[in-house]
């Protein structure tokens, strides 16, 4: 977001802090992520009449980790921590993770646990996890 600007690093940092203040104000429950309802409320309260459909479209485009909420980084269009982990696991760069790639980084899991996870979250049935399947698995685990 800032790399294309004509501002210098100090101005970029100041601009980012200003956006963060607005983001934090919109984040009513203080969990560090915006819900569609929070964003809708802020936009409309500031005089920018926006429908929930428009907000949903924005979230669909910006929600890079598929959890239905936007972190500050996602709000700015930045790579998420989950994307970084996924890219690190995807050793051959084909956009999917094999069971072998998964096991190399998740040494605390048994092959049986990895098999069970893939059986549950590999919705395409190709014995690989694409990024969205990977995110769904991580969010499910975090919810447990």
């Amino acid at each position: 977001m800032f790399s294309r600007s004509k501002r210098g690093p100090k101005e970029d940092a100041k601009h980012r802090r200003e956006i963060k203040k607005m983001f934090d104000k919109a984040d009513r429950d203080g969990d560090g992520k915006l819900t569609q309802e929070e964003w809708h409320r802020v936009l409309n309260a500031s005089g920018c009449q926006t429908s929930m459909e428009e907000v949903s479209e924005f979230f669909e485009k910006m929600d890079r980790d598929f959890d239905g909420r936007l972190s500050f980084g996602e709000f700015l269009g930045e790579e998420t921590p989950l994307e970084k982990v996924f890219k690190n696991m995807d050793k051959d760069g084909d956009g999917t993770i094999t069971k072998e790639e998964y096991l190399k980084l998740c040494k605390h899991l048994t092959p049986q646990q990895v098999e069970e996870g893939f059986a549950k979250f590999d919705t395409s049935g190709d014995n690989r996890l694409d990024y969205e399947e990977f995110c769904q698995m991580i969010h499910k685990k975090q919810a447990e």
Side-chain angles (χ1 to χ4, degrees), residues 1 16 20 23 32-33 62 64 70-81 83:
M1 175 173 189
R16 185 180 177 93
K20 179 74 167 123
F23 180 91
K33 292 207 167 205
M62 301 302 286
R64 297 169 67 129
L70 295 183
S71 67
F72 183 62
E74 286 174 312
F75 187 76
L76 295 178
E78 298 173 347
E79 186 174 61
T80 67
E83 285 175 295

Side-chain angles (χ1 to χ4, degrees), residues 76-118:
L76 295 178
E78 298 173 347
E79 186 174 61
T80 67
L82 272 182
E83 285 175 295
K84 291 175 185 172
V85 169
F86 183 84
K87 286 179 180 177
N88 191 31
M89 288 180 140
D90 180 17
K91 295 297 183 194
D92 62 5
D94 69 351
T96 62
I97 298 173
T98 64
K99 294 172 190 172
E100 294 76 25
E101 288 171 326
Y102 198 87
L103 271 168
K104 282 181 186 171
L105 281 179
C106 298
K107 297 180 188 314
H108 64 287
L109 297 176
T110 67
Q112 178 63 29
Q113 288 172 313
V114 172
E115 286 289 336
E116 290 170 5
F118 272 64

Side-chain angles (χ1 to χ4, degrees), residues 4-125:
R4 289 179 232 124
S5 74
K6 302 277 189 234
R7 296 183 294 263
K10 285 185 180 179
E11 291 85 4
D12 280 348
K14 182 180 179 198
H15 187 66
R16 185 180 177 93
R17 282 192 304 273
E18 290 170 4
I19 294 171
K20 179 74 167 123
K21 276 187 206 172
M22 291 185 283
F23 180 91
D24 290 344
K25 186 176 180 181
D27 180 19
R28 297 287 271 250
D29 62 6
D31 68 352
K33 292 207 167 205
L34 289 183
T35 64
Q36 291 186 25
E37 293 75 19
E38 287 170 331
W39 186 233
H40 182 256
R41 185 181 318 111
V42 166
L43 287 172
N44 285 285
S46 66
C48 182
Q49 294 306 304
T50 308
S51 70
M52 275 306 287
E53 183 179 335
E54 291 169 311
V55 169
S56 293
E57 288 172 12
F58 175 73
F59 269 66
E60 198 170 296
K61 178 180 162 195
M62 301 302 286
D63 181 17
R64 297 169 67 129
D65 65 4
F66 302 100
D67 68 351
R69 303 173 306 147
L70 295 183
S71 67
F72 183 62
E74 286 174 312
F75 187 76
L76 295 178
E78 298 173 347
E79 186 174 61
T80 67
L82 272 182
E83 285 175 295
K84 291 175 185 172
V85 169
F86 183 84
K87 286 179 180 177
N88 191 31
M89 288 180 140
D90 180 17
K91 295 297 183 194
D92 62 5
D94 69 351
T96 62
I97 298 173
T98 64
K99 294 172 190 172
E100 294 76 25
E101 288 171 326
Y102 198 87
L103 271 168
K104 282 181 186 171
L105 281 179
C106 298
K107 297 180 188 314
H108 64 287
L109 297 176
T110 67
Q112 178 63 29
Q113 288 172 313
V114 172
E115 286 289 336
E116 290 170 5
F118 272 64
K120 188 172 183 179
F121 293 99
D122 174 23
T123 56
S124 62

